[in-house]
């Protein structure tokens, strides 16, 4: 019997109470109940963003909040440093290009994370750079970036640090206020256990000052409009009310667990998955792997695409494959959102069986045993 399970870095599994909430009749978005819902959700998001700053939301996927960051923070002829270590770092560059921003790229080979010294060098060389665009977890490679180190460089300069935490919010640590990160963007369908369709941004005062100066065109992605209406529990345009009801349930879960524990759980799940891959003799792709997902480099003789399709079509197990130049070469197993230790055991056991089925010789059960050792506290 096929049983569908998602181990992708978005969308991620949705808890049952959130699914049930979405089955309720749709409410009017100006009703007092929806006003209360929006206020509650925006308040609870602060806990996940680890900030006292207000969080705003847009009805879009995560890229909407990324584009909004460029359009709202920058002005014509501004320069930005863009860290490109995979598909999503590249996206920052593409958005900047679309808005005519001069990009100073830092190209990091895929699988690696940026060296903060390189950023420091460029900040010194180009003192007029307005913004550094970075990624917490580069989902296309599974690499984690040292955002705290980057914030230490930007917080003492007039340059803003804008972080794409689209996939890693709630899984990898990002202490917005303590570290002094200026802008964090994220979305609903990853660590927040909600379907795709909502994007979020949190800005500190430095960032709001830049918003005041910005003269780039914006309309639907206007952060100020979203922020000001959000304070009233309102919205400039019809929001995805259904998704907000699901998000409220998911946020209640994170609040109950506590964000520090939520991050600690993701850390444990990632550690177990990495340990399993080591026991199976399979190398990790990322040099500094994130808690969000684990990328595994496949041996040459394995056709990664065929493997992913087999697992999905025959067993209902969905892992993510490689993107762009990594297509067919890596498998990405996410342990993100509504995922616990038992789920990870399933992900690893299915992975082992799948490899054996396609004729690749691994010590069956070694990965599971290694993961169990981590969960048992023996590693
Ligand atoms: N940034 C990162 C790090 C991501 O993982 C993703 C989605 N995989 C995006 C941006 C884009 O988000 P969306 O597809 O929701 O627009």
């Amino acid at each position: 019997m096929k049983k569908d399970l998602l181990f992708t870095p978005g969308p991620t599994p949705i808890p049952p109470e959130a699914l049930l909430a979405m089955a309720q009749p749709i409410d009017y978005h100006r009703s007092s109940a929806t006003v209360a819902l929006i206020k509650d959700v925006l308040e609870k998001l602060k806990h996940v963003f680890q900030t006292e700053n207000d969080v705003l939301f847009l009805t879009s996927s995560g890229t909407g909040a990324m584009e909004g960051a460029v359009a709202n923070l920058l002005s014509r002829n501004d320069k930005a440093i863009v860290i490109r270590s995979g598909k999503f770092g590249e996206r920052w560059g593409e958005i900047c290009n679309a808005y005519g921003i001069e990009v100073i790229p830092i190209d990091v080979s895929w699988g690696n994370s940026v060296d903060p010294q390189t950023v420091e060098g460029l900040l010194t060389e180009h003192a007029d750079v307005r913004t550094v665009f970075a990624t917490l977890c580069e989902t296309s490679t599974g690499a984690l970036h040292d955002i705290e180190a980057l914030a230490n460089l930007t917080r003492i300069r007039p340059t803003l640090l804008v972080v794409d935490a689209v996939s890693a919010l709630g899984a990898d640590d990002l202490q917005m206020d303590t570290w002094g990160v200026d802008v964090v963007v994220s979305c609903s369908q990853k660590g927040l256990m909600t379907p795709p369709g909502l994007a979020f941004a949190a800005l500190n005062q430095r960032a709001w000052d830049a918003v005041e100066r910005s003269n780039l065109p914006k309309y639907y992605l206007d952060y100020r409009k979203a922020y000001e209406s959000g304070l009233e529990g309102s919205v400039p345009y019809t929001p995805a009310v259904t998704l907000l009801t699901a998000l409220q349930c998911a946020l209640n879960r994170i609040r109950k667990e506590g964000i520090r524990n939520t991050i600690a759980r993701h850390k444990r799940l990632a550690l177990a998955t990495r340990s399993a891959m080591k026991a199976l003799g399979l190398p990790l792709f990322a040099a500094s792997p994130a808690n969000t997902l684990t990328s595994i480099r496949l041996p040459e003789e394995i056709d990664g695409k065929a493997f992913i399709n087999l697992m999905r079509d025959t067993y209902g197990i969905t892992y993510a494959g490689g993107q762009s130049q990594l297509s067919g070469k890596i498998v990405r197993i996410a342990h993100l959102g509504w995922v616990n230790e038992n789920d990870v055991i399933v992900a690893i056991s299915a992975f082992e069986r799948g490899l054996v089925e396609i004729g690749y010789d691994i010590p069956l059960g070694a990965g599971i045993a290694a993961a169990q050792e981590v969960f048992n506290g023996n590693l």
Side-chain angles (χ1 to χ4, degrees):
M1 185 184 69
K2 201 171 138 196
K3 191 167 178 185
D4 292 328
L5 293 169
L6 278 184
F7 294 105
T8 48
T12 60
I14 297 166
E17 73 277 13
L19 291 173
L20 284 171
M22 288 190 291
Q24 297 301 310
I26 185 80
D27 199 359
Y28 179 46
H29 55 282
R30 309 285 177 205
S31 73
S32 55
T34 306
V35 167
L37 170 67
I38 292 173
K39 282 188 177 169
D40 186 53
V41 158
L42 292 181
E43 188 55 37
K44 286 176 176 156
L45 278 168
K46 290 184 188 178
H47 176 67
V48 187
F49 276 76
Q50 301 192 65
T51 186
E52 294 300 319
N53 296 307
D54 290 305
V55 181
L56 61 85
F57 80 98
L58 304 168
T59 304
S60 76
S61 78
T63 306
M66 293 174 75
E67 177 162 348
V70 173
N72 285 274
L73 295 162
L74 294 172
S75 293
R76 287 185 191 93
N77 303 319
D78 275 354
K79 285 187 198 171
I81 291 177
V82 174
I83 298 163
R84 303 192 297 202
S85 67
K87 193 173 163 56
F88 297 106
E90 286 178 359
R91 186 164 300 178
W92 276 131
E94 289 160 9
I95 299 171
C96 285
N97 286 337
Y99 280 84
I101 299 300
E102 187 183 330
V103 170
I104 301 168
I106 300 180
D107 286 318
V108 178
S109 61
W110 286 37
N112 288 312
S113 308
V114 73
D115 179 351
Q117 281 189 352
T118 310
V119 180
E120 187 171 23
L122 282 179
L123 282 171
T124 309
E125 194 181 323
H126 304 272
D128 55 344
V129 161
R130 289 272 181 213
T131 307
V132 175
F133 288 103
T135 314
L136 177 57
C137 166
E138 176 47 75
T139 321
S140 58
T141 67
L144 182 75
H145 288 267
D146 187 348
I147 299 300
E148 186 177 11
L150 300 184
N152 283 338
L153 300 172
T154 50
R155 65 193 298 172
I156 52 165
R157 294 176 165 84
T159 312
L160 298 178
L161 177 62
V162 180
V163 178
D164 165 356
V166 165
S167 60
L169 187 79
D172 283 287
D173 201 12
L174 204 183
Q175 299 180 32
M176 182 176 184
D177 292 359
T178 311
W179 296 352
V181 177
D182 299 290
V183 180
V184 178
V185 299
S186 194
C187 73
S188 50
Q189 79 272 19
K190 315 257 181 186
L192 289 172
M193 308 173 272
T194 298
L198 296 172
F200 313 105
L203 285 74
N204 67 10
Q205 192 51 53
R206 276 173 24 123
W208 282 117
D209 293 345
V211 172
E212 284 304 318
R213 288 193 302 270
S214 163
N215 63 10
L216 288 179
K218 50 198 145 286
Y219 189 82
Y220 192 74
L221 302 178
D222 191 325
Y223 272 8
R224 179 157 289 286
K225 269 195 242 165
Y227 162 72
E228 282 170 0
S229 20
L231 291 181
E232 309 292 318
S234 178
V235 272
Y237 323 106
T238 314
V241 179
T242 312
L243 301 184
L244 290 167
T245 60
L247 179 63
Q248 187 179 42
C249 298
L251 288 169
N252 287 341
R253 272 188 182 253
I254 297 180
R255 243 185 127 89
K256 193 162 170 214
E257 187 177 33
I259 184 64
R260 304 302 305 163
N261 294 329
T262 305
I263 291 166
R265 168 169 53 85
H266 283 89
K267 186 173 178 184
R268 209 162 50 245
L269 301 180
L271 213 63
T273 308
R274 297 202 289 264
S275 185
M277 294 308 141
K278 192 168 170 211
L280 294 175
L282 295 171
L284 302 179
F285 185 72
S288 301
N291 295 341
T292 304
L293 77 157
T294 300
S295 299
I296 301 119
R297 190 194 290 273
L298 292 173
E300 290 275 311
E301 59 266 44
I302 295 181
D303 174 349
K305 278 195 201 161
F307 176 68
I308 298 268
N309 289 341
L310 165 82
M311 296 312 292
R312 183 174 168 89
D313 298 342
T314 310
Y315 300 109
I317 300 278
T318 306
Y319 307 118
Q323 294 168 287
S324 303
Q325 68 258 41
L326 293 178
S327 177
K329 297 191 173 136
I330 63 168
V331 172
R332 295 176 299 148
I333 302 180
H335 16 73
L336 177 59
W338 187 48
V339 175
N340 71 9
E341 298 179 355
N342 294 331
D343 296 321
V344 165
I345 293 297
V346 171
I348 294 167
S349 69
F351 188 80
E352 290 186 351
R353 293 272 303 279
L355 286 180
V356 170
E357 186 167 329
I358 60 167
Y360 188 71
D361 192 23
I362 46 133
L364 201 59
I368 303 172
Q372 296 281 33
E373 291 294 341
V374 172
F375 293 147
N376 213 26
N378 297 340
L379 279 179

